[in-house]
Amino acid sequence: AQSVTQPDIHITVSEGASLELRCNYSYGATPYLFWYVQSPGQGLQLLLKYFSGDTLVQGIKGFEAEFKRSQSSFNLRKPSVHWSDAAEYFCAVGANNNNDMRFGAGTRLTVKP
Amino acid sequence: NAGVTQTPKFQVLKTGQSMTLQCAQDMNHEYMSWYRQDPGMGLRLIHYSVGAGITDQGEVPNGYNVSRSTTEDFPLRLLSAAPSQTSVYFCASSYSLTGNEQFFGPGTRLTVL
C-alpha cells in the first residue's frame, strides 16, 4: 500500500524568503501526487497535482512542485513566502482511485514578519 | 455554488451517545467521502460512496455508518460515541472515483467526553 512521509512537522521562514516543503512517498507504480493547504479552521484546498507528463508542476498561489521518481519525492516550493501562506500543508499520494489516497501527517508553516 | 457544506461545526458528546454529522454538496459529484484528521496522522478515510445507494468502507470504518440516498447528501453516523472518536471530521466530494481533485468541507470538530 502507498504511504507518504512529510519529514518536517513545523517550519518557520521569514516573509520574502524561499520555501521548500519535503514529501517522500512509497508506491509501486506511477503515483498520483497532490499538495493541499489547510488554513486555520478551514477545509483542505488543492494547491497542485501531478498525474503524468512534465515533472515540474505549477499550482495556485505561486507554488510549484517537482516529481523526482529516482528520489520518490514531490517537494513543494515557493520562491517568496507571504504572511498569508502560514497554514498546514499536506502531501497526498494515490492510485487511480480516490479511496486509495494516503495523506502525510502535514507540515505546519509559520511565517515571521 | 456553496461547494461542500458540513454541519455542525462543533459538537461535544458523552460516551455512548449517538449523532449524525451532515454533509452536502451542490456540484453534482458522484464521489463523496468522509475523513478524520488526528494530530500527527494526516487524514484517514472512514467511508466513501461512488454514487447514490453505493457505499464502502475506507481505512478506519469501525464505529461509523454511512448512507447515500441522494447524490447531494452523505451523512456520517456515530452509533455509540467513544473518546477515541474525538477528532476533526472532513467530508469531501469529487467528480468521480478516479484521480480527480477532491473538494473538502470546512470540517466538524467533535469531542467525546
Side-chain angles (χ1 to χ4, degrees):
Chain A
Q2 54 268 35
S3 65
V4 180
T5 302
Q6 293 181 245
D8 304 305
I9 295 172
H10 184 207
I11 283 182
T12 300
V13 301
S14 297
E15 190 167 17
S18 63
L19 172 70
E20 182 168 27
L21 302 182
R22 296 183 291 164
C23 172
N24 295 100
Y25 68 90
S26 172
Y27 188 63
T30 300
Y32 288 61
L33 294 159
F34 305 82
W35 274 101
Y36 283 87
V37 61
Q38 183 183 29
S39 298
Q42 303 297 314
L44 279 70
Q45 180 185 21
L46 181 70
L47 283 175
L48 47 79
K49 61 187 178 187
Y50 171 80
F51 288 174
S52 64
D54 192 347
T55 57
L56 184 63
V57 180
Q58 302 297 321
I60 63 171
K61 305 186 181 186
F63 286 92
E64 67 177 26
E66 186 171 12
F67 170 55
K68 293 186 177 180
R69 184 189 301 274
S70 62
Q71 299 177 18
S72 296
S73 68
F74 189 56
N75 294 350
L76 182 71
R77 300 194 294 249
K78 187 168 184 178
S80 178
V81 169
H82 188 261
W83 64 265
S84 61
D85 293 324
E88 187 141 22
Y89 292 80
F90 292 93
C91 181
V93 61
N96 195 32
N97 297 335
N98 287 340
N99 53 301
D100 288 335
M101 186 176 292
R102 293 292 180 268
F103 286 81
T107 298
R108 185 162 62 92
L109 174 65
T110 298
V111 180
K112 292 191 302 184
Chain B
N1 283 353
V4 180
T5 58
Q6 293 183 237
T7 55
K9 283 189 167 49
F10 302 93
Q11 183 70 49
V12 178
L13 293 178
K14 295 181 180 177
T15 297
Q17 288 184 316
S18 63
M19 79 159 296
T20 300
L21 308 185
Q22 300 293 342
C23 173
Q25 53 92 9
D26 61 0
M27 297 174 282
N28 202 32
H29 284 170
E30 289 297 322
Y31 181 86
M32 295 186 74
S33 56
W34 276 101
Y35 291 88
R36 59 177 290 171
Q37 181 183 32
D38 301 295
M41 301 188 72
L43 278 72
R44 292 180 292 167
L45 183 64
I46 304 171
H47 284 286
Y48 66 95
S49 168
V50 298
I54 307 170
T55 65
D56 206 344
Q57 297 180 351
E59 190 182 354
V60 288
N62 292 343
Y64 307 95
N65 271 0
V66 292
S67 60
R68 183 99 179 266
S69 56
T70 66
T71 300
E72 294 78 20
D73 299 301
F74 190 44
L76 178 72
R77 295 183 187 84
L78 280 71
L79 308 173
S80 177
S84 61
Q85 294 178 303
T86 293
S87 187
V88 181
Y89 291 85
F90 288 99
C91 179
S93 74
S94 175
Y95 177 73
S96 70
L97 172 64
T98 55
N100 287 282
E101 173 185 358
Q102 293 195 73
F103 293 83
F104 285 81
T108 295
R109 183 174 294 273
L110 175 68
T111 302
V112 182
L113 303 174

